[in-house]
Amino acid sequence: MPSPETRVGQPLISLRDVHLSFGSNRVLKGIDLDVQRGQAVSIIGPSGSGKSTILRCITGLLPTERGSIRVGDTDVHALKSEAQRIELRKRVGFVFQQYNLFPHLSVLENLVIAPRKVLGETATNAEKHARELLAKVRMEHKADAYPGQLSGGQQQRVAIARALAMRPELILFDEVTSALDPETVGEVLTVIRELTEEGMTCVLVTHEMRFAEDISDVVYFTENGLIVEHGSPEHIFQRPTNERTQTFLRHALGDAGRRPVASGDPFLLSNISRYSLSV
Amino acid sequence: MAIDSPVSLPLGWPRRHPGKLVLLAAVLLWLVFGAPKSPVFAALREWSPALAAGFGQNILISLLAIAIGSVLGLLVGALAVSPLWITRLPAKIWVQVFRNAPWLVLIYFTTYVFPFELHIGKSWISFPDWVKVTLGLALPASANVAEIFRGAIGSIPSTQWEAARSLAFTRAQIFRSIILPQCFKRMLPPWMNLYAVITMGTALASLVGVHDLIDTAQIASNTVNRTGFTVLIYFSVLALFFAYCYPISRFTQFLERRYAFS
C-alpha cells in the first residue's frame, strides 16, 4: 500500500518500538510512528490506548523505557538533562485538552511570557508577534481579558496561539476539542485546519473522526498501546483492513454508510449487529 | 461574563442591622451623658492612655511576629517543596515541631533560653522581653506560614506545571512566573487569619512580664481596686481585641468569597 511518508525524505518525527509503563500498567507496547515535515498526522483510537502518552513522550514530558524517539536531529530518548529537554521543547508546541492557560495572566501576557522568559525576545517584539497570532486565531479583541472570562473555545484558540508564539517546528494537539461543546468545536478546528494548510507540522490526537479524515495526511489507529493500523485517511476510514479498526470506526462514526459492505446474510443472527437499529 | 446569582441582592449595611445600630447609638449616648458622673468611668478615662499604649505594644509584637514569621515561613516552605530530601527534612521537622508546641511554652522558651543581653564586639545590646516574645510568636507563625505556602503550591493544578514545561520553562522560571503569583492570592486569606490568631496570642506576653494591654489592665485593676472597675476594664480589653481582630476576620471572609470563583 503506498503511504505518503514513503514519498518524502527523512521524517521530522520518528518513533521506533517505544515502550512505557506506569507501574505495572503497560501503556505503550512498541509504538512505531513517522511524521514528515509539513504533514498533519492524526492518532485515533479508544480512550486509554496511549494516544496522549505518545505526544507526551515526543516532547519529553514523559520518559520512555525502551525504543527510540527522534525529533529532527534530537534523540529524545537519549536526553539526559532537563536543559536538553528544554531545548527540544522550544521547538515543539503542545496544546492541551483542558487549555491550561495561566489564569493569573491576561490573554496577551499568556502569549508573551514564554517568548520573553524562555527565548529572550524583547517586550515589543514579543507583543507584536502575540497580537499577530491573536488576530490569526480571531481573538485580538480579547487581548486584555483573563482566561476565566473566556469560553472554552476561545481559551483553546488562545492556547493554540500561545503554542505558536514560541515559533515551533511542529505542534502536538492533545484532544483539543474534547472538553468543548459541539458548537465551539468548529471554531477551534478551523484554526487547526488553517495551520495545516500553511504547512505547519501537526500531530493530533483526536476523537473528531470527520475532521481527522478531512485534514490528515496520515492516520494512525492505536489500541492497547500498539499501532494497529495506519495509512492514508481514505484507507483508514473507507477501507480499514483491521477488524478492530472497523469496529471502532463503526461506533465512532455511527454512520451506516461508512462501514464496509456486509458480506453475510442480513437475516443471519450473527450479522444483525452490523445493521443499525433505528426504531 | 456576569454570573447571575439566583439570590436577590442583600440589603445595604444600615438597613440590614437596624437593631444593632440602635443599640450602638444608645450605648454611645449613655457613655457621653451618663458615664461621666460615674467614678468607675472616670478611672477608666484616666487609665485609657496607658491601656492604649499597652495595646500598641500588642500590635507592635503581632506585626513584627507575622513579618518575621512570614519571611522565615516562606523560606522553610520553599525548602519543604524542594525535590531534595536533604533540604526537605529539616523543613519538615521545623514545621512539625513549631506547629505542635503550645505557644505559651514557646514564649517561655524564647524568654528564658535567650540571653537578656547580647555581646557583639565591645558593645552590649539589650535583648528586651518583648522582642523575645515576638520571636516566640514568630516561630509558630513561621511554621504555619510554611504550611500555608506548601498547601498553596500543592493546590496549583499539576496541569499548570505541565503547560509551563511544554513551553520550555525551567523549574525556577515556572516557580517564579507561574506558580508563585497564583500562590500568593490563595495564601492571603489563611495568612490574614493567622495574623488575627497571632494578635490574640500576644495576650500571652503579659505572662513573661511584657508591659502590654493585659498587664496594664491588671495594674489598673489592682490600683483602682473596685469591682466595677475590674469588670469594666476587662470588658474594655475584650472590646479592644475584638475591634482589632474582627475587621481582619471579616475582610478575610470577603477575600475568600471573592477568590472562591477564580
PDB file of all heavy atoms in Angstrom, chain B residues 84-108:
ATOM      1  N   LEU B  84      14.919  17.857  46.796  1.00  0.00           N
ATOM      2  CA  LEU B  84      15.972  17.152  47.529  1.00  0.00           C
ATOM      3  C   LEU B  84      15.513  16.842  48.953  1.00  0.00           C
ATOM      4  O   LEU B  84      15.094  17.746  49.673  1.00  0.00           O
ATOM      5  CB  LEU B  84      17.240  18.006  47.594  1.00  0.00           C
ATOM      6  CG  LEU B  84      17.857  18.397  46.257  1.00  0.00           C
ATOM      7  CD1 LEU B  84      18.941  19.439  46.453  1.00  0.00           C
ATOM      8  CD2 LEU B  84      18.414  17.170  45.566  1.00  0.00           C
ATOM      9  N   TRP B  85      15.645  15.574  49.379  1.00  0.00           N
ATOM     10  CA  TRP B  85      15.160  15.215  50.718  1.00  0.00           C
ATOM     11  C   TRP B  85      16.012  15.876  51.790  1.00  0.00           C
ATOM     12  O   TRP B  85      15.543  16.173  52.880  1.00  0.00           O
ATOM     13  CB  TRP B  85      15.124  13.701  50.894  1.00  0.00           C
ATOM     14  CG  TRP B  85      16.481  13.058  51.015  1.00  0.00           C
ATOM     15  CD1 TRP B  85      17.224  12.556  50.000  1.00  0.00           C
ATOM     16  CD2 TRP B  85      17.259  12.867  52.217  1.00  0.00           C
ATOM     17  NE1 TRP B  85      18.396  12.076  50.472  1.00  0.00           N
ATOM     18  CE2 TRP B  85      18.458  12.241  51.842  1.00  0.00           C
ATOM     19  CE3 TRP B  85      17.055  13.162  53.565  1.00  0.00           C
ATOM     20  CZ2 TRP B  85      19.447  11.917  52.750  1.00  0.00           C
ATOM     21  CZ3 TRP B  85      18.047  12.838  54.469  1.00  0.00           C
ATOM     22  CH2 TRP B  85      19.232  12.213  54.066  1.00  0.00           C
ATOM     23  N   ILE B  86      17.275  16.167  51.461  1.00  0.00           N
ATOM     24  CA  ILE B  86      18.189  16.722  52.464  1.00  0.00           C
ATOM     25  C   ILE B  86      17.760  18.117  52.888  1.00  0.00           C
ATOM     26  O   ILE B  86      17.970  18.530  54.024  1.00  0.00           O
ATOM     27  CB  ILE B  86      19.642  16.718  51.923  1.00  0.00           C
ATOM     28  CG1 ILE B  86      20.656  16.937  53.056  1.00  0.00           C
ATOM     29  CG2 ILE B  86      19.874  17.743  50.844  1.00  0.00           C
ATOM     30  CD1 ILE B  86      21.048  15.649  53.723  1.00  0.00           C
ATOM     31  N   THR B  87      17.099  18.864  52.016  1.00  0.00           N
ATOM     32  CA  THR B  87      16.573  20.165  52.420  1.00  0.00           C
ATOM     33  C   THR B  87      15.129  20.034  52.919  1.00  0.00           C
ATOM     34  O   THR B  87      14.666  20.855  53.697  1.00  0.00           O
ATOM     35  CB  THR B  87      16.591  21.167  51.253  1.00  0.00           C
ATOM     36  OG1 THR B  87      15.768  20.645  50.211  1.00  0.00           O
ATOM     37  CG2 THR B  87      17.984  21.407  50.740  1.00  0.00           C
ATOM     38  N   ARG B  88      14.454  18.991  52.418  1.00  0.00           N
ATOM     39  CA  ARG B  88      13.052  18.813  52.811  1.00  0.00           C
ATOM     40  C   ARG B  88      12.934  18.405  54.280  1.00  0.00           C
ATOM     41  O   ARG B  88      12.030  18.839  54.982  1.00  0.00           O
ATOM     42  CB  ARG B  88      12.407  17.756  51.913  1.00  0.00           C
ATOM     43  CG  ARG B  88      11.163  18.252  51.268  1.00  0.00           C
ATOM     44  CD  ARG B  88      10.535  17.285  50.301  1.00  0.00           C
ATOM     45  NE  ARG B  88      10.937  15.927  50.374  1.00  0.00           N
ATOM     46  CZ  ARG B  88      11.431  15.239  49.349  1.00  0.00           C
ATOM     47  NH1 ARG B  88      11.569  15.835  48.190  1.00  0.00           N
ATOM     48  NH2 ARG B  88      11.751  13.982  49.458  1.00  0.00           N
ATOM     49  N   LEU B  89      13.881  17.563  54.722  1.00  0.00           N
ATOM     50  CA  LEU B  89      13.778  17.000  56.066  1.00  0.00           C
ATOM     51  C   LEU B  89      13.821  18.065  57.168  1.00  0.00           C
ATOM     52  O   LEU B  89      12.918  18.096  58.009  1.00  0.00           O
ATOM     53  CB  LEU B  89      14.871  15.948  56.264  1.00  0.00           C
ATOM     54  CG  LEU B  89      14.743  15.163  57.562  1.00  0.00           C
ATOM     55  CD1 LEU B  89      13.537  14.233  57.512  1.00  0.00           C
ATOM     56  CD2 LEU B  89      16.008  14.375  57.848  1.00  0.00           C
ATOM     57  N   PRO B  90      14.833  18.949  57.189  1.00  0.00           N
ATOM     58  CA  PRO B  90      14.839  19.964  58.255  1.00  0.00           C
ATOM     59  C   PRO B  90      13.601  20.853  58.218  1.00  0.00           C
ATOM     60  O   PRO B  90      13.072  21.227  59.276  1.00  0.00           O
ATOM     61  CB  PRO B  90      16.112  20.775  57.987  1.00  0.00           C
ATOM     62  CG  PRO B  90      16.629  20.348  56.682  1.00  0.00           C
ATOM     63  CD  PRO B  90      16.046  19.029  56.363  1.00  0.00           C
ATOM     64  N   ALA B  91      13.122  21.168  57.020  1.00  0.00           N
ATOM     65  CA  ALA B  91      11.927  21.999  56.900  1.00  0.00           C
ATOM     66  C   ALA B  91      10.729  21.288  57.524  1.00  0.00           C
ATOM     67  O   ALA B  91       9.917  21.894  58.232  1.00  0.00           O
ATOM     68  CB  ALA B  91      11.664  22.313  55.436  1.00  0.00           C
ATOM     69  N   LYS B  92      10.640  19.984  57.259  1.00  0.00           N
ATOM     70  CA  LYS B  92       9.536  19.195  57.786  1.00  0.00           C
ATOM     71  C   LYS B  92       9.575  19.161  59.307  1.00  0.00           C
ATOM     72  O   LYS B  92       8.553  19.332  59.975  1.00  0.00           O
ATOM     73  CB  LYS B  92       9.670  17.760  57.242  1.00  0.00           C
ATOM     74  CG  LYS B  92       8.370  17.137  56.803  1.00  0.00           C
ATOM     75  CD  LYS B  92       8.686  15.834  56.112  1.00  0.00           C
ATOM     76  CE  LYS B  92       7.446  15.093  55.712  1.00  0.00           C
ATOM     77  NZ  LYS B  92       7.801  13.877  54.968  1.00  0.00           N
ATOM     78  N   ILE B  93      10.799  18.955  59.851  1.00  0.00           N
ATOM     79  CA  ILE B  93      10.956  18.901  61.313  1.00  0.00           C
ATOM     80  C   ILE B  93      10.572  20.257  61.921  1.00  0.00           C
ATOM     81  O   ILE B  93       9.818  20.324  62.894  1.00  0.00           O
ATOM     82  CB  ILE B  93      12.416  18.532  61.677  1.00  0.00           C
ATOM     83  CG1 ILE B  93      12.680  17.084  61.248  1.00  0.00           C
ATOM     84  CG2 ILE B  93      12.664  18.716  63.166  1.00  0.00           C
ATOM     85  CD1 ILE B  93      14.120  16.656  61.372  1.00  0.00           C
ATOM     86  N   TRP B  94      11.070  21.336  61.317  1.00  0.00           N
ATOM     87  CA  TRP B  94      10.755  22.701  61.784  1.00  0.00           C
ATOM     88  C   TRP B  94       9.240  22.900  61.882  1.00  0.00           C
ATOM     89  O   TRP B  94       8.714  23.343  62.904  1.00  0.00           O
ATOM     90  CB  TRP B  94      11.377  23.704  60.814  1.00  0.00           C
ATOM     91  CG  TRP B  94      11.115  25.150  61.148  1.00  0.00           C
ATOM     92  CD1 TRP B  94       9.974  25.853  60.892  1.00  0.00           C
ATOM     93  CD2 TRP B  94      12.003  26.050  61.806  1.00  0.00           C
ATOM     94  NE1 TRP B  94      10.103  27.134  61.328  1.00  0.00           N
ATOM     95  CE2 TRP B  94      11.349  27.295  61.898  1.00  0.00           C
ATOM     96  CE3 TRP B  94      13.296  25.944  62.307  1.00  0.00           C
ATOM     97  CZ2 TRP B  94      11.936  28.416  62.467  1.00  0.00           C
ATOM     98  CZ3 TRP B  94      13.878  27.070  62.880  1.00  0.00           C
ATOM     99  CH2 TRP B  94      13.189  28.280  62.966  1.00  0.00           C
ATOM    100  N   VAL B  95       8.552  22.552  60.789  1.00  0.00           N
ATOM    101  CA  VAL B  95       7.107  22.754  60.740  1.00  0.00           C
ATOM    102  C   VAL B  95       6.411  21.921  61.809  1.00  0.00           C
ATOM    103  O   VAL B  95       5.567  22.420  62.560  1.00  0.00           O
ATOM    104  CB  VAL B  95       6.573  22.410  59.336  1.00  0.00           C
ATOM    105  CG1 VAL B  95       5.061  22.331  59.358  1.00  0.00           C
ATOM    106  CG2 VAL B  95       7.044  23.440  58.324  1.00  0.00           C
ATOM    107  N   GLN B  96       6.799  20.650  61.911  1.00  0.00           N
ATOM    108  CA  GLN B  96       6.121  19.773  62.864  1.00  0.00           C
ATOM    109  C   GLN B  96       6.360  20.230  64.306  1.00  0.00           C
ATOM    110  O   GLN B  96       5.431  20.258  65.104  1.00  0.00           O
ATOM    111  CB  GLN B  96       6.589  18.320  62.678  1.00  0.00           C
ATOM    112  CG  GLN B  96       6.083  17.664  61.394  1.00  0.00           C
ATOM    113  CD  GLN B  96       4.583  17.825  61.221  1.00  0.00           C
ATOM    114  OE1 GLN B  96       3.804  17.728  62.173  1.00  0.00           O
ATOM    115  NE2 GLN B  96       4.154  18.097  59.998  1.00  0.00           N
ATOM    116  N   VAL B  97       7.600  20.590  64.625  1.00  0.00           N
ATOM    117  CA  VAL B  97       7.925  20.973  65.995  1.00  0.00           C
ATOM    118  C   VAL B  97       7.174  22.235  66.388  1.00  0.00           C
ATOM    119  O   VAL B  97       6.514  22.290  67.427  1.00  0.00           O
ATOM    120  CB  VAL B  97       9.451  21.179  66.152  1.00  0.00           C
ATOM    121  CG1 VAL B  97       9.760  21.906  67.462  1.00  0.00           C
ATOM    122  CG2 VAL B  97      10.158  19.837  66.124  1.00  0.00           C
ATOM    123  N   PHE B  98       7.224  23.262  65.531  1.00  0.00           N
ATOM    124  CA  PHE B  98       6.676  24.547  65.956  1.00  0.00           C
ATOM    125  C   PHE B  98       5.177  24.674  65.740  1.00  0.00           C
ATOM    126  O   PHE B  98       4.544  25.574  66.285  1.00  0.00           O
ATOM    127  CB  PHE B  98       7.430  25.699  65.278  1.00  0.00           C
ATOM    128  CG  PHE B  98       8.835  25.816  65.782  1.00  0.00           C
ATOM    129  CD1 PHE B  98       9.911  25.689  64.929  1.00  0.00           C
ATOM    130  CD2 PHE B  98       9.087  26.013  67.130  1.00  0.00           C
ATOM    131  CE1 PHE B  98      11.198  25.777  65.403  1.00  0.00           C
ATOM    132  CE2 PHE B  98      10.374  26.097  67.620  1.00  0.00           C
ATOM    133  CZ  PHE B  98      11.438  25.975  66.749  1.00  0.00           C
ATOM    134  N   ARG B  99       4.607  23.774  64.943  1.00  0.00           N
ATOM    135  CA  ARG B  99       3.147  23.804  64.832  1.00  0.00           C
ATOM    136  C   ARG B  99       2.508  23.058  65.986  1.00  0.00           C
ATOM    137  O   ARG B  99       1.369  23.320  66.338  1.00  0.00           O
ATOM    138  CB  ARG B  99       2.689  23.160  63.515  1.00  0.00           C
ATOM    139  CG  ARG B  99       2.622  24.129  62.370  1.00  0.00           C
ATOM    140  CD  ARG B  99       2.007  23.452  61.192  1.00  0.00           C
ATOM    141  NE  ARG B  99       0.569  23.598  61.183  1.00  0.00           N
ATOM    142  CZ  ARG B  99      -0.234  22.770  60.546  1.00  0.00           C
ATOM    143  NH1 ARG B  99       0.233  21.738  59.916  1.00  0.00           N
ATOM    144  NH2 ARG B  99      -1.529  22.979  60.544  1.00  0.00           N
ATOM    145  N   ASN B 100       3.236  22.102  66.554  1.00  0.00           N
ATOM    146  CA  ASN B 100       2.633  21.242  67.557  1.00  0.00           C
ATOM    147  C   ASN B 100       3.075  21.573  68.971  1.00  0.00           C
ATOM    148  O   ASN B 100       2.837  20.810  69.884  1.00  0.00           O
ATOM    149  CB  ASN B 100       2.937  19.775  67.232  1.00  0.00           C
ATOM    150  CG  ASN B 100       2.298  19.373  65.915  1.00  0.00           C
ATOM    151  OD1 ASN B 100       1.132  19.651  65.693  1.00  0.00           O
ATOM    152  ND2 ASN B 100       3.059  18.765  65.034  1.00  0.00           N
ATOM    153  N   ALA B 101       3.762  22.717  69.152  1.00  0.00           N
ATOM    154  CA  ALA B 101       4.148  23.126  70.501  1.00  0.00           C
ATOM    155  C   ALA B 101       3.184  24.211  70.961  1.00  0.00           C
ATOM    156  O   ALA B 101       2.809  25.073  70.175  1.00  0.00           O
ATOM    157  CB  ALA B 101       5.573  23.661  70.482  1.00  0.00           C
ATOM    158  N   PRO B 102       2.763  24.172  72.242  1.00  0.00           N
ATOM    159  CA  PRO B 102       1.893  25.251  72.744  1.00  0.00           C
ATOM    160  C   PRO B 102       2.640  26.581  72.673  1.00  0.00           C
ATOM    161  O   PRO B 102       3.834  26.641  72.946  1.00  0.00           O
ATOM    162  CB  PRO B 102       1.643  24.859  74.204  1.00  0.00           C
ATOM    163  CG  PRO B 102       2.010  23.431  74.305  1.00  0.00           C
ATOM    164  CD  PRO B 102       3.030  23.162  73.266  1.00  0.00           C
ATOM    165  N   TRP B 103       1.907  27.621  72.306  1.00  0.00           N
ATOM    166  CA  TRP B 103       2.551  28.925  72.120  1.00  0.00           C
ATOM    167  C   TRP B 103       3.186  29.435  73.408  1.00  0.00           C
ATOM    168  O   TRP B 103       4.259  30.014  73.395  1.00  0.00           O
ATOM    169  CB  TRP B 103       1.529  29.942  71.585  1.00  0.00           C
ATOM    170  CG  TRP B 103       1.135  29.676  70.188  1.00  0.00           C
ATOM    171  CD1 TRP B 103       1.345  28.521  69.495  1.00  0.00           C
ATOM    172  CD2 TRP B 103       0.491  30.574  69.297  1.00  0.00           C
ATOM    173  NE1 TRP B 103       0.852  28.644  68.235  1.00  0.00           N
ATOM    174  CE2 TRP B 103       0.326  29.892  68.084  1.00  0.00           C
ATOM    175  CE3 TRP B 103       0.031  31.877  69.425  1.00  0.00           C
ATOM    176  CZ2 TRP B 103      -0.283  30.481  66.977  1.00  0.00           C
ATOM    177  CZ3 TRP B 103      -0.577  32.466  68.329  1.00  0.00           C
ATOM    178  CH2 TRP B 103      -0.731  31.764  67.112  1.00  0.00           C
ATOM    179  N   LEU B 104       2.473  29.186  74.510  1.00  0.00           N
ATOM    180  CA  LEU B 104       2.984  29.692  75.778  1.00  0.00           C
ATOM    181  C   LEU B 104       4.333  29.051  76.087  1.00  0.00           C
ATOM    182  O   LEU B 104       5.251  29.707  76.577  1.00  0.00           O
ATOM    183  CB  LEU B 104       1.966  29.409  76.894  1.00  0.00           C
ATOM    184  CG  LEU B 104       2.298  30.015  78.256  1.00  0.00           C
ATOM    185  CD1 LEU B 104       2.502  31.514  78.144  1.00  0.00           C
ATOM    186  CD2 LEU B 104       1.207  29.698  79.248  1.00  0.00           C
ATOM    187  N   VAL B 105       4.462  27.752  75.783  1.00  0.00           N
ATOM    188  CA  VAL B 105       5.725  27.053  76.021  1.00  0.00           C
ATOM    189  C   VAL B 105       6.831  27.685  75.176  1.00  0.00           C
ATOM    190  O   VAL B 105       7.942  27.918  75.652  1.00  0.00           O
ATOM    191  CB  VAL B 105       5.572  25.559  75.685  1.00  0.00           C
ATOM    192  CG1 VAL B 105       6.917  24.850  75.799  1.00  0.00           C
ATOM    193  CG2 VAL B 105       4.549  24.912  76.592  1.00  0.00           C
ATOM    194  N   LEU B 106       6.502  28.009  73.922  1.00  0.00           N
ATOM    195  CA  LEU B 106       7.500  28.629  73.047  1.00  0.00           C
ATOM    196  C   LEU B 106       7.904  30.009  73.561  1.00  0.00           C
ATOM    197  O   LEU B 106       9.064  30.404  73.486  1.00  0.00           O
ATOM    198  CB  LEU B 106       6.957  28.745  71.619  1.00  0.00           C
ATOM    199  CG  LEU B 106       6.844  27.420  70.858  1.00  0.00           C
ATOM    200  CD1 LEU B 106       6.181  27.639  69.509  1.00  0.00           C
ATOM    201  CD2 LEU B 106       8.219  26.797  70.666  1.00  0.00           C
ATOM    202  N   ILE B 107       6.916  30.735  74.102  1.00  0.00           N
ATOM    203  CA  ILE B 107       7.231  32.069  74.629  1.00  0.00           C
ATOM    204  C   ILE B 107       8.134  31.962  75.848  1.00  0.00           C
ATOM    205  O   ILE B 107       9.136  32.668  75.966  1.00  0.00           O
ATOM    206  CB  ILE B 107       5.926  32.827  74.954  1.00  0.00           C
ATOM    207  CG1 ILE B 107       5.254  33.245  73.637  1.00  0.00           C
ATOM    208  CG2 ILE B 107       6.209  34.057  75.804  1.00  0.00           C
ATOM    209  CD1 ILE B 107       3.895  33.840  73.815  1.00  0.00           C
ATOM    210  N   TYR B 108       7.821  31.031  76.769  1.00  0.00           N
ATOM    211  CA  TYR B 108       8.714  30.798  77.910  1.00  0.00           C
ATOM    212  C   TYR B 108      10.095  30.384  77.427  1.00  0.00           C
ATOM    213  O   TYR B 108      11.112  30.828  77.930  1.00  0.00           O
ATOM    214  CB  TYR B 108       8.139  29.709  78.822  1.00  0.00           C
ATOM    215  CG  TYR B 108       7.162  30.253  79.836  1.00  0.00           C
ATOM    216  CD1 TYR B 108       5.850  29.802  79.881  1.00  0.00           C
ATOM    217  CD2 TYR B 108       7.565  31.216  80.748  1.00  0.00           C
ATOM    218  CE1 TYR B 108       4.953  30.297  80.795  1.00  0.00           C
ATOM    219  CE2 TYR B 108       6.665  31.723  81.682  1.00  0.00           C
ATOM    220  CZ  TYR B 108       5.365  31.262  81.696  1.00  0.00           C
ATOM    221  OH  TYR B 108       4.492  31.770  82.598  1.00  0.00           O
TER     222      TYR B 108
END
